[in-house]
Amino acid sequence: KSRRYSPSLHTARDNCSIMTEPSSESSTSPPLQPPRRVAIIGGGISGLSAAWHLLQNQSKSNLTTIDIFESTNQLGGHAHTITIHPDGDDKAVDVDVGFMVFNNENYPNMTAWFQELGVESEDSDMSLSVSLDSHTKGGTEMEWSSTGLNGMFANKAQLFRPSFYKFLRDMVRFNAEAADVLLLAKDDPRRHITTGQYLRNEGYSEAFSTHYLLPMMAALWSASLEDVLQFPIEQLVGFLCNHKMLQVFDRPVWKTVANRSKSYTSKMTKLLGERAHISTPILSVVKQQTQESIPEYELFTDSNKSVGLFDEVVFACHPPTAHSMLQKGNNATSGEKMQQHDGNMMEILSNIEYADNVMYLHSDPSLMPKRKAAWSSWNCLGKSSLLATHHDSSAKDKSGEAMEGGESGFGNRVASDDDAEDSTSSARMKAVFVTYYLNKLQNLKTSTGVFVSLNPHWTPDPKLVYEKLTMAHPQFTPHTLRARDELEEKFQGKDGLWFCGAWSGYGFHEDGCRSGFKVASTMIDTAVPWAANKGDSGSLVLQPPNLAKSTSARNKKGIFKYIYNALCHTLPVAVCKRIICGFLKSCITTGSLQLKMNDGSLIKFGNGGDCVGCDKEPVTLRIFDDWFFVKVALEYDLGLARSYMSGHFTVEPLPSPSQYDQVIRPPSTRDETTPILGDPVGLTRLFLLFIGNRDDPTAIASPRKSARNHTYSSALSNASGLLISKIGSFCNFLIYKLYMDNSERGGSLKNIHAHYDLSNDLFTSFLDKETLMYSSAIYDAVKAPSGQRGMVFRGSLEEAQWRKLDTLLDRAQIQPGQQMLDIGFGWGGLSLHAARKYGCKVTGITLSVEQKALAEERVAKEGLGHLITFEVVDYRTFARKKENRGKFDRVLSCEMIEAVGHEHLGEFFWAVEQVLSHDGILVMEAITTPEARYETYRRSTDFINSIIFPGSCCPSLHALVEASYQQSTLTLEHIDNIGLHYARTLAEWRRRFNASESLVRKLGFDDVFLRVWNYYLTYCEAGFHSQTENCLILVFSRPGCNALVPLCETRCVTQLNSLTDEEVKNWVGEE
């Protein structure tokens, strides 16, 4: 029985020539390998290149059999040659419809292989044109070509269109700046953003996107506009840079195979001989265990016919096809020797996406640009209206109504089945299609034009069609890129299974060729001859050139650019870095904070000792952009938030889950770290470190004052420690006061709309699935064991939210049939529960149109429409209506008071008293700020009231009591503090939100929003966990309220004895 051989990749390479035997000298010969049987599934470029290299080294690598299986009737895959007669039956012409062009610089392995095979090439033309609205009614016709000035202004009207010059300007800017993306650190989250987000972030015009970049990308990758906008910018710029498409001069000379691609596929067919099995589709691959516990694989074709047993299987086919074969192999598994394929590997394969594209080979010129001056080798034709829609430029228009960072997906929803778009290729590429002009690309000597159109919007004249066929192409979505990297890292070659294809690179012929050679070279531990001849013992194949640095440097030459960069970047960074480092040195006195720079250096702060409320491990900020120091210096805490939103830094995870505080990150929870977010739990740790140093009693030189005479000696509490920050903080405060007021005349409506109308589907992605309460839950909890801070919780979020609703209604002493007013009813959870459990007649008021719509759907579904009424109205307007005067027995307000604003707190209590009956009760759940910091807080801005909840203010308990005293007769009767429960609630929301990333992205939200939402949830979690923010359940009534008598019962005013540490351990173990 054969044994699998796993050679070291560091053994000496054998520089043998083609078809020669290895040297007999033992000092240069690799160790004799055991006999192996190799199957290659797929006869495209990847399979052929792998087969060729294995054949050249078959004897010395002891490969007993090398068989290649192809499902169609010819080898080549996308190297597909068709013979046509465009000028009549007497003159045959060969044309390629898949693989068409290459160049020596960017296709080094394929070029060298062609030389070995004796394949000739000739120069080609790679001009591009874009034609929009030229074949449709409406819109403004736009046609340009890269063939020269005559082609650039093929439509002379473009000479007088400002948008056309915007496109030209931005094209020059893109060519100069795009390569900078590749100079960012590998772990920099800004390398991983999508093309759509990059265009939006960098402010490129819609004309540039629609006239050039998006159509070009759709043509290059045979992708829809949706997929193009989701294309990772790193992948796009890497391709453009390495193919010298970001420069005007020194571009590569493009080639085409002189006698079409059949000239090399026919050579390979002859070389392989009987080893090539065409018209033999492999339908299943069954894994079997041998006596030596080494798996082997049996391949089956049509009619469940076995084609043999093999030790190594190379999947040179599309990953979805490989997944299908392996899945059918699992389904066919039976018997003692049969085994299942690795489930994780199967899942990864299923995540590598492909899409079918319909291709017409024809001679119908109606699928070319309208003006012949614009005819080029690659011709993109489309509809500007659809391109503009897909550009997501509307996000900019939402900046005035959406919260900062939430513009990208504001107001969006998940498409229902009825809304789902047609997945066919023509519908998928409804915005743009491409026509290849083969006469230019392949130097055809015909009087009739020959074209290949990919997913055309209308079919060519049937009389002019030579052939219609379908080809699949990889779709480079973020999921695909992550899956292919994981497949290469974890499963390449494992148990004798190998994977190769163009999907492993940019999707082109060289990528497939290099992938096949790499798999074969790794399998036999022998480099391809042209790589071996380079003298690089560490390279199995030739890699494409990396021109990022040279391209970026060339585009930035010039004394003016140097001076501009020095004055506007280098100098501000140097000054602000020194200021911030000095500031942190004086403020971070306990615990440990580290700034990790791009060069690997560490800037450390703190004494490394215990910090109150923090774990003992250092908090490490990975700084990607030095502008971080400028943002923090100018805007203080808002600068820190906006710097994180921009991707300037992340927090690195700790090496081991056991190093985290188990309350902050329970051992059973998954790791949420991603390249985009860093470690979200690390953000919580960062804020706890700041809080611990801000409130460190040993750092306070003099007693702190309170109330209106408040001073706070810790510089971390406000911008007082950074003189330069006072300017930015003052500007932010002015914006807050001028544009984020909570007046009845529309200020409140605008502020509520900015946050709560983001998207109902967004909120349902992370709130509990039963109540949809966007407020603190109440968990089953006890104090944490000795040595830990906070509490230990158990139970689900859903259970905890039901417990909180029952608590609110209990505090309100709700009685059956009473009239209840729910101010700020959210998505209706509290109203529904009161109506369902007590039969109350509930009126709910809100300023969120989106919340009202979903809440009414839920009411209708429950059949409670006769008990519940919702209105969109301001609480002050509602209270002025005569019919509401003294109408309600109970008024509940769950975390709505924060949206009122300090100046309007009295108005809220006035409004409640107007609608409250004589023996009525107000129950309010409120997030409150401690009195010691309140005066400083309300006279400044922070991340929450400027970005997350515009215009919000978390009042102090004293401010609430004083407001109720000043403008009502309501008196505070009862208090519960559930702040620590809120910390747990926020952590659970964060975990659910991050687990729903794919859904959030489908809604249109981008990386900026993912970061801002994680910052928000962790920022609040740290405040509640450290008990420096509170969440209070407050009960108000008029003096002498008989309805509150039950709250004086013994059960309400006494407490049970605390549990011992042993009892706590037993309590936790009961979960």
Side-chain angles (χ1 to χ4, degrees), residues 83-130:
T83 302
I84 61 175
H85 300 81
D87 290 338
D89 294 337
D90 57 336
K91 186 178 181 182
V93 177
D94 290 333
V95 297
D96 281 334
V97 295
F99 164 61
M100 298 184 191
V101 293
F102 65 98
N103 67 69
N104 295 337
E105 291 183 47
N106 300 102
Y107 293 66
N109 293 285
M110 198 183 75
T111 300
W113 186 35
F114 279 3
Q115 291 175 352
E116 297 287 350
L117 292 174
V119 176
E120 297 180 356
S121 64
E122 59 188 19
D123 291 350
S124 179
D125 176 271
M126 276 289 282
S127 53
L128 171 73
S129 77
V130 176

Side-chain angles (χ1 to χ4, degrees), residues 461-718:
D461 185 342
K463 297 177 182 178
L464 300 176
V465 175
Y466 305 108
E467 191 160 339
K468 176 185 176 182
L469 61 159
T470 300
M471 288 187 175
H473 296 86
Q475 304 301 297
F476 291 102
T477 63
H479 286 297
T480 293
L481 295 183
R482 285 194 292 267
R484 76 175 191 185
D485 293 343
E486 194 172 359
L487 184 67
E488 174 70 25
E489 177 185 350
K490 296 181 179 179
F491 295 103
Q492 187 68 283
K494 183 180 179 181
D495 290 338
L497 298 183
W498 304 83
F499 303 92
C500 57
W503 51 268
S504 66
Y506 293 115
F508 295 93
H509 231 53
E510 168 67 13
D511 302 301
C513 181
R514 181 174 62 252
S515 177
F517 283 133
K518 185 177 180 181
V519 162
S521 299
T522 305
M523 187 187 299
I524 62 176
D525 193 33
T526 303
V528 292
W530 45 89
N533 292 335
K534 289 282 187 179
D536 183 2
S537 60
S539 179
L540 294 169
V541 297
L542 295 181
Q543 300 298 324
N546 186 350
L547 304 177
K549 289 186 178 180
S550 60
T551 302
S552 180
R554 180 180 60 254
N555 291 337
K556 287 178 171 51
K557 285 182 178 178
I559 184 64
F560 293 109
K561 288 184 178 180
Y562 175 81
I563 295 174
Y564 176 83
N565 186 64
L567 294 177
C568 298
H569 186 270
T570 306
L571 182 60
V573 164
V575 172
C576 292
K577 184 175 181 180
R578 182 163 186 163
I579 292 173
I580 292 299
C581 287
F583 172 73
L584 290 175
K585 184 177 180 180
S586 65
C587 292
I588 306 299
T589 57
T590 63
S592 177
L593 175 66
Q594 299 180 154
L595 306 184
K596 185 177 180 180
M597 312 307 293
N598 281 327
D599 59 4
S601 62
L602 288 175
I603 307 175
K604 299 182 180 181
F605 308 96
N607 59 10
D610 292 341
C611 180
V612 177
C614 310
D615 54 48
K616 299 179 180 179
E617 304 298 328
V619 177
T620 303
L621 269 59
R622 174 68 175 89
I623 309 298
F624 300 107
D625 193 327
D626 288 343
W627 200 250
F628 159 85
F629 296 103
V630 179
K631 292 290 289 183
V632 176
L634 293 179
E635 296 186 83
Y636 198 60
D637 57 338
L638 271 176
L640 182 71
R642 286 172 172 147
S643 186
Y644 179 74
M645 290 164 59
S646 300
H648 293 167
F649 79 93
T650 59
V651 182
E652 291 191 342
L654 295 176
S656 171
S658 63
Q659 295 176 283
Y660 288 89
D661 183 328
Q662 293 190 9
V663 175
I664 296 296
R665 182 185 168 184
S668 59
T669 57
R670 73 178 185 92
D671 183 10
E672 300 170 65
T673 304
T674 69
I676 300 300
L677 303 175
D679 179 19
V681 180
L683 282 173
T684 306
R685 297 176 59 241
L686 173 66
F687 297 134
L688 288 174
L689 179 66
F690 286 156
I691 292 170
N693 279 273
R694 181 195 68 189
D695 298 339
D696 181 10
T698 64
I700 306 299
S702 58
R704 290 171 287 183
K705 300 177 183 178
S706 60
R708 302 192 187 282
N709 295 321
H710 165 74
T711 60
Y712 214 95
S713 56
S714 171
L716 276 170
S717 65
N718 52 52

Side-chain angles (χ1 to χ4, degrees), residues 186-465:
K186 289 290 185 182
D187 55 346
D188 193 320
R190 292 170 298 172
R191 283 185 74 119
H192 306 285
I193 65 174
T194 64
T195 297
Q197 184 177 342
Y198 177 82
L199 293 173
R200 185 166 55 250
N201 291 353
E202 299 302 320
Y204 284 100
S205 65
E206 186 175 299
F208 167 73
S209 303
T210 59
H211 293 8
Y212 172 60
L213 190 66
L214 301 185
M216 179 189 68
M217 290 176 65
L220 282 171
W221 281 283
S222 306
S224 69
L225 261 296
E226 291 87 348
D227 290 337
V228 162
L229 287 169
Q230 290 300 311
F231 201 89
I233 191 64
E234 177 186 13
Q235 186 86 352
L236 167 65
V237 174
F239 173 82
L240 296 177
C241 187
N242 290 343
H243 284 70
K244 295 187 177 181
M245 296 175 71
L246 295 178
Q247 57 200 64
V248 177
F249 304 105
D250 192 29
R251 288 197 169 193
V253 177
W254 286 88
K255 305 279 187 179
T256 187
V257 178
N259 298 305
R260 310 287 78 83
S261 58
K262 73 174 185 179
S263 63
Y264 90 81
T265 58
S266 60
K267 290 177 182 288
M268 283 302 302
T269 301
K270 182 178 180 181
L271 179 64
L272 289 166
E274 295 181 354
R275 302 179 184 87
H277 308 275
I278 61 173
S279 301
T280 309
I282 300 303
L283 303 181
S284 65
V285 177
V286 177
K287 185 178 182 181
Q288 301 183 10
Q289 192 73 21
T290 66
Q291 292 180 354
E292 290 83 358
S293 298
I294 300 175
E296 62 183 5
Y297 302 92
E298 187 169 10
L299 276 56
F300 293 87
T301 185
D302 291 327
S303 303
N304 202 31
K305 178 184 177 182
S306 174
V307 296
L309 287 167
F310 299 90
D311 302 292
E312 314 271 356
V313 179
V314 179
F315 290 93
C317 54
H318 301 161
T321 306
H323 178 270
S324 175
M325 296 176 192
L326 295 170
Q327 186 62 58
K328 290 178 180 177
N330 280 346
N331 296 339
T333 297
S334 63
E336 295 182 0
K337 291 185 177 181
M338 306 302 181
Q339 290 187 324
Q340 294 284 305
H341 297 290
D342 190 294
N344 292 329
M345 178 184 69
M346 301 279 288
E347 182 179 358
I348 290 171
L349 286 169
S350 68
N351 287 331
I352 300 177
E353 301 176 27
Y354 264 71
D356 288 337
N357 294 287
V358 176
M359 303 174 70
Y360 289 90
L361 175 62
H362 64 95
S363 289
D364 186 351
S366 70
L367 277 77
M368 288 288 284
K370 184 176 179 180
R371 299 163 180 82
K372 204 152 188 176
W375 283 25
S376 302
S377 297
W378 295 38
N379 304 273
C380 304
L381 295 87
K383 304 171 185 177
S384 59
S385 59
L386 293 178
L387 282 165
T389 299
H390 287 94
H391 177 36
D392 280 347
S393 59
S394 58
K396 296 179 181 178
D397 301 330
K398 299 174 183 176
S399 59
E401 54 178 325
M403 55 164 274
E404 184 178 339
E407 300 89 351
S408 55
F410 185 81
N412 293 347
R413 62 185 180 90
V414 176
S416 64
D417 293 337
D418 295 335
D419 298 330
E421 294 187 0
D422 190 348
S423 60
T424 61
S425 55
S426 58
R428 190 173 56 83
M429 296 189 67
K430 62 183 179 181
V432 66
F433 71 95
V434 61
T435 294
Y436 304 102
Y437 187 16
L438 301 192
N439 297 65
K440 275 196 168 190
L441 278 166
Q442 299 174 19
N443 303 314
L444 302 185
K445 308 300 182 184
T446 64
S447 58
T448 303
V450 181
F451 316 107
V452 170
S453 292
L454 193 73
N455 301 322
H457 295 168
W458 61 93
T459 57
D461 185 342
K463 297 177 182 178
L464 300 176
V465 175

Side-chain angles (χ1 to χ4, degrees), residues 27-53:
S27 60
T28 59
S29 298
L32 182 63
Q33 302 178 15
R36 289 175 293 169
R37 301 157 297 179
V38 180
I40 301 173
I41 303 175
I45 181 66
S46 302
L48 293 178
S49 58
W52 181 85
H53 190 48

